């Protein structure tokens, strides 16, 4: 699955690079900002689209959280408890892809938010389960804080939110890898 993801990432990246090469010079600055992930220039229309989509996908996600927790115990346990594992996995992947697509369409590919939000939320609420709502709230807080930092720290220069999430996320990823290696979970 990881190799498929890496391959798809390279394929999509090649498509994006082709579109960048074919773009008008006047559009390249906007494209570059979007590719790093930015909330700059978003309107209330963008907020309405995201809110409507979340009003549909959010309750579906929360409704499946208990089954996701059971699925984390293993496929055999989930089947023994009467869960249709393949249908559940398909539903969870579909909702996850839709939510990720919604986020990327709205703000561009903002790096490391998903990587940081889940573990931070799990530590804050001290839950062993999925903790989807706390993770979503922590993710939103990270994006807003990074956007605020991008707008204020180097004012009048405004940096995209993706720059700050990458600056926070890369060291956090390295710390997680070192920690997991020491514990023996990697």
């Amino acid at each position: 699955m990881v190799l498929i993801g890496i391959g798809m990432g390279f394929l999509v990246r090649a498509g994006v690079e082709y579109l960048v090469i074919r773009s008008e010079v006047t559009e390249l600055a906007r494209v570059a900002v979007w590719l790093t992930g930015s909330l700059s220039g978003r309107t209330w229309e963008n907020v309405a689209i995201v809110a409507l989509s979340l009003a549909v996908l959010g309750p579906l996600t929360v409704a499946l959280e208990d089954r996701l927790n059971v699925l984390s115990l293993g496929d055999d346990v989930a089947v023994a408890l009467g869960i249709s594992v393949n249908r559940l996995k398909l539903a969870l992947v579909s909702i996850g892809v839709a939510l990720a697509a919604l986020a990327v369409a709205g703000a561009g590919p903002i790096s490391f938010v998903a990587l940081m939000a889940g573990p931070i939320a799990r530590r804050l609420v001290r839950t062993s389960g999925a903790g989807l709502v706390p993770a979503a709230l922590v993710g939103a807080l990270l994006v807003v804080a990074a956007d605020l930092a991008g707008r204020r720290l180097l004012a009048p220069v405004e940096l995209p939110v993706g720059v700050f999430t990458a600056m926070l996320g890369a060291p956090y990823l390295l710390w997680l890898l070192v920690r997991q290696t020491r514990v023996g979970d990697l």
Side-chain angles (χ1 to χ4, degrees), residues 167-182:
M167 286 172 38
L168 294 172
Y172 184 71
L173 173 63
L174 294 174
W175 176 78
L176 277 178
L177 289 172
V178 168
R179 184 173 174 268
Q180 296 299 327
T181 302
R182 286 184 183 162

Side-chain angles (χ1 to χ4, degrees), residues 5-88:
I6 291 170
M8 290 300 296
F10 281 120
L11 181 66
V12 170
R13 181 70 184 166
V16 168
E17 289 173 357
Y18 172 77
L19 291 174
V20 167
I21 290 169
R22 302 283 304 176
S23 297
E24 296 293 324
V25 174
T26 57
E27 293 294 316
L28 286 178
R30 287 181 47 210
V31 169
V33 169
W34 184 85
L35 284 173
T36 58
S38 177
L39 298 179
S40 179
R42 298 296 162 245
T43 64
W44 284 108
E45 183 179 318
N46 300 113
V47 172
I49 291 169
V50 170
L52 179 62
S53 301
L54 283 177
V56 173
L57 295 172
L60 285 173
T61 305
V62 172
L64 294 175
E65 185 173 9
D66 288 339
R67 291 184 182 151
L68 177 61
N69 290 335
V70 171
L71 189 61
S72 70
L73 299 173
D75 290 357
D76 294 336
V77 173
V79 168
L81 293 173
I83 293 175
S84 175
V85 172
N86 290 335
R87 285 186 16 199
L88 177 61

Side-chain angles (χ1 to χ4, degrees), residues 106-151:
I110 300 174
S111 304
F112 293 106
V113 174
L115 174 74
M116 293 186 295
I120 292 171
R122 192 170 288 126
R123 281 179 175 65
L124 288 175
V125 297
R126 300 189 194 280
T127 181
S128 60
L132 297 178
V133 173
L137 294 174
V138 168
L141 181 64
L142 284 170
V143 170
V144 170
D147 184 54
L148 184 62
R151 292 174 190 262

